[in-house]
Amino acid sequence: MRRRRKREVETARRVLHPESRMMSYGYRPEWSEGALKCPIFQTSTFVFQSAEEGKAFFEVAYGLRTQGPSEVLGLIYSRLNNPDLEILEDRLTVWDDAEACAVFDSGMAAISTVLLQFLGPGDVVLHSEPLYGGTDYLIHHVLPRFGVRSVGFPAASSREEIDAILKADAAGGRLALIYAETPANPTNALVDLSACSELARVHSSVDRRVLLVVDNTFLGPLWQHPLKHGADLVVYSATKYIGGHSDLIAGACVGPADLMRSVRTLRTFLGNMADPWTGWLLLRSLETLKLRMTCQKKNAARVGEFLQDHPKVARTYYLGHLGPDDAQFAVYRRQCLGAGAMISFDLAGGQEQAYRFLNALKLVKLAVSLGGTESLAEHPSTMTHADVAPEEQRRMGITPSMVRLSVGVEHPDDIVADLEQALASA
Ligand SMILES: *Cc1c(COP(=O)(O)O)cnc(C)c1O
């Protein structure tokens, strides 16, 4: 396979839909002995044809000069570039209509690399609450060691409320980055991305741009495209819907070429890129991404309908249940293309009822993580959010009777029947 570069393999003059491009975009069989599928390039290093060529590749890779207009660059070493990862990155840009992508060996690797790249001593990161546990720990326990402070705002806040929280923060420092996770886990509360983007613009100066970074793991890359709502960078745990089979750990970041160049550079030096085998598995996963996420969304609608009417369910937290009377409905209509497949609900009673329900499930597995083909259930208060103090949990709306469901691709009748028998035991 000689040098490939992002080059559309178009079968027609019209631009194909993303799901049609997942099988071939960025790869040509003639590069690999006619192989229909891209092989796994399980190699650490690549052979240069001449010393001059090696010198030229390194000059560009290390930023000693920029790539010439007609210059074709080759591969160097799998920490810098690898065909499986480059093809995967090209395909991941398609869904979000992004210029560039970098894949990582976990969602946390993507998130930590972005935050370390764009934050420094004296900076403040403004973030939505609640956050994924790992991100929360990173922001509150790791970044302070590098002189970075944080200010949190509840996910469902209005622009005015976020402004007020920021103004009330008297500890000093310069706002450098806004980090939003929407919908929030496990309550499905939405962050208004347009409001955050406006705020980032207002606080930017000529010499310092305030960036908006969005964790799009829950709805992306199908049902929400944050770059279209003012986000500068989008991060993913590819472990979830993108991988989709609960058999790998990976992460991704997409955004404009200039910002992604610096993210990729730090990735080179932290060495936290995905490996070729994981890259290959993700290429395979992308072929069924739309199929899976569409089925999961449809199944979730059915599960939501069932839970809403059940006497043992006190409350549901599901985007598909938002109506025109809800304060968040306008945000939902503006920035989400679908309700996704994450549903939380409170059982009538407390933790005891939630545990009885979880212990009675048969088809739905009792496990954390989400977005895979199989339906999963967990107890946020004592599992994913166990390190959030009880009073903080109350403030965030995480109750002792709350169960979080990730709806899979099983037959919806089977999922509902399992929930029904487990509710009967609760
Ligand atoms: C799982 C998850 C992460 C972390 O991803 P890993 O792949 O486990 O490192 C980050 N954000 C959200 C919203 C997640 O669900």
Side-chain angles (χ1 to χ4, degrees):
M1 173 151 129
R2 274 319 285 168
R3 195 58 197 143
R4 43 163 299 281
R5 246 301 91 203
K6 190 184 276 189
R7 197 167 293 132
E8 189 67 27
V9 186
E10 292 289 4
T11 52
R13 224 177 296 256
R14 53 190 279 272
V15 176
L16 299 170
H17 292 86
E19 61 268 38
S20 308
R21 297 165 89 184
M22 286 306 111
M23 276 60 83
S24 60
Y25 183 58
Y27 172 71
R28 290 176 184 224
E30 59 264 35
W31 291 333
S32 299
E33 312 266 357
L36 174 71
K37 289 296 168 190
C38 176
I40 305 170
F41 287 84
Q42 193 69 48
T43 185
S44 59
T45 195
F46 299 85
V47 177
F48 305 134
Q49 293 200 325
S50 67
E52 289 77 9
E53 189 185 73
K55 173 177 182 280
F57 294 174
F58 264 98
E59 283 170 349
V60 175
Y62 281 2
L64 303 176
R65 64 174 175 84
T66 52
Q67 185 176 355
S70 59
E71 188 176 14
V72 181
L73 288 175
L75 297 158
I76 297 173
Y77 183 67
S78 284
R79 178 156 47 75
L80 280 62
N81 43 24
N82 174 284
D84 294 297
L85 298 197
E86 290 199 344
I87 294 167
L88 170 64
E89 285 162 352
D90 286 352
R91 289 188 192 170
L92 276 171
T93 61
V94 170
W95 301 94
D96 283 284
D97 197 15
E99 283 175 8
C101 170
V103 288
F104 292 85
D105 56 7
S106 69
M108 282 313 303
I111 293 164
S112 54
T113 303
V114 167
L115 294 181
L116 287 171
Q117 177 59 30
F118 297 107
L119 290 167
D123 284 348
V124 171
V125 53
L126 177 69
H127 66 87
S128 61
E129 284 176 334
L131 284 177
Y132 177 75
T135 311
D136 190 84
Y137 187 92
L138 181 73
I139 288 178
H140 293 110
H141 299 286
V142 180
L143 291 182
R145 301 203 324 244
F146 298 92
V148 177
R149 283 187 54 247
S150 64
V151 176
F153 65 89
S157 304
S158 66
R159 164 78 200 273
E160 292 69 31
E161 287 164 336
I162 304 173
D163 267 338
I165 289 167
L166 200 56
K167 284 210 180 76
D169 172 59
R174 177 184 49 182
L175 178 64
L177 192 145
I178 304 176
Y179 187 90
E181 193 180 306
T182 182
N185 172 22
T187 57
N188 274 330
L190 295 172
V191 178
D192 183 342
L193 294 181
S194 311
C196 289
S197 155
E198 240 177 73
L199 200 69
R201 228 172 317 123
V202 168
H203 285 268
S204 293
S205 62
V206 262
D207 45 69
R208 189 76 193 263
R209 179 165 146 208
V210 176
L211 297 180
L212 171 59
V213 179
V214 178
D215 183 331
N216 199 29
T217 300
F218 269 45
L219 284 184
L222 251 84
W223 313 127
Q224 183 170 263
H225 300 129
L227 296 177
K228 293 195 168 43
H229 300 276
D232 296 293
L233 289 168
V234 174
V235 289
Y236 286 104
S237 168
T239 310
K240 314 296 166 56
Y241 288 99
I242 295 173
H245 294 72
S246 307
D247 56 5
L248 60 84
I249 301 277
C253 177
V254 299
D258 57 337
L259 294 178
M260 286 309 303
R261 233 183 328 270
S262 56
V263 171
R264 291 182 74 92
T265 300
L266 187 57
R267 185 187 70 168
T268 290
F269 296 106
L270 293 177
N272 53 3
M273 70 295 153
D275 62 279
W277 168 228
T278 301
W280 187 90
L281 282 171
L282 286 166
L283 282 174
R284 184 173 179 148
S285 290
L286 282 181
E287 298 185 11
T288 56
L289 180 71
K290 178 146 187 205
L291 212 59
R292 287 183 280 108
M293 287 190 78
T294 304
C295 174
Q296 286 167 292
K297 177 173 81 115
K298 209 168 127 210
N299 284 354
R302 175 76 197 288
V303 168
E305 207 176 294
F306 164 76
L307 290 173
Q308 199 172 26
D309 298 332
H310 199 284
K312 286 193 179 171
V313 174
R315 182 178 169 184
T316 56
Y317 307 78
Y318 168 53
L319 293 177
H321 288 165
L322 288 177
D325 297 336
D326 290 295
Q328 293 233 281
F329 187 65
V331 177
Y332 175 65
R333 290 297 295 268
R334 190 164 63 237
Q335 75 191 28
C336 307
L337 300 165
M342 295 302 296
I343 304 182
S344 294
F345 63 97
D346 290 334
L347 279 122
Q351 181 174 317
E352 193 193 330
Q353 280 68 35
Y355 270 38
R356 268 199 246 143
F357 168 81
L358 289 168
N359 289 334
L361 289 168
K362 292 188 172 85
L363 174 72
V364 179
K365 297 293 178 285
L366 173 50
V368 299
S369 198
L370 58 109
T373 45
E374 63 288 297
S375 295
L376 300 178
E378 65 112 5
H379 187 246
S381 172
T382 58
M383 294 171 193
T384 47
H385 296 69
D387 63 343
V388 179
E391 67 276 12
E392 282 287 289
Q393 287 197 7
R394 259 193 301 282
R395 203 169 57 77
M396 292 173 182
I398 302 168
T399 70
S401 69
M402 181 186 276
V403 166
R404 188 190 77 181
L405 290 178
S406 168
V407 180
V409 302
E410 302 93 341
H411 195 289
D413 290 350
D414 294 335
I415 304 172
V416 166
D418 194 32
L419 299 177
E420 191 160 29
Q421 65 82 22
L423 280 167
S425 334

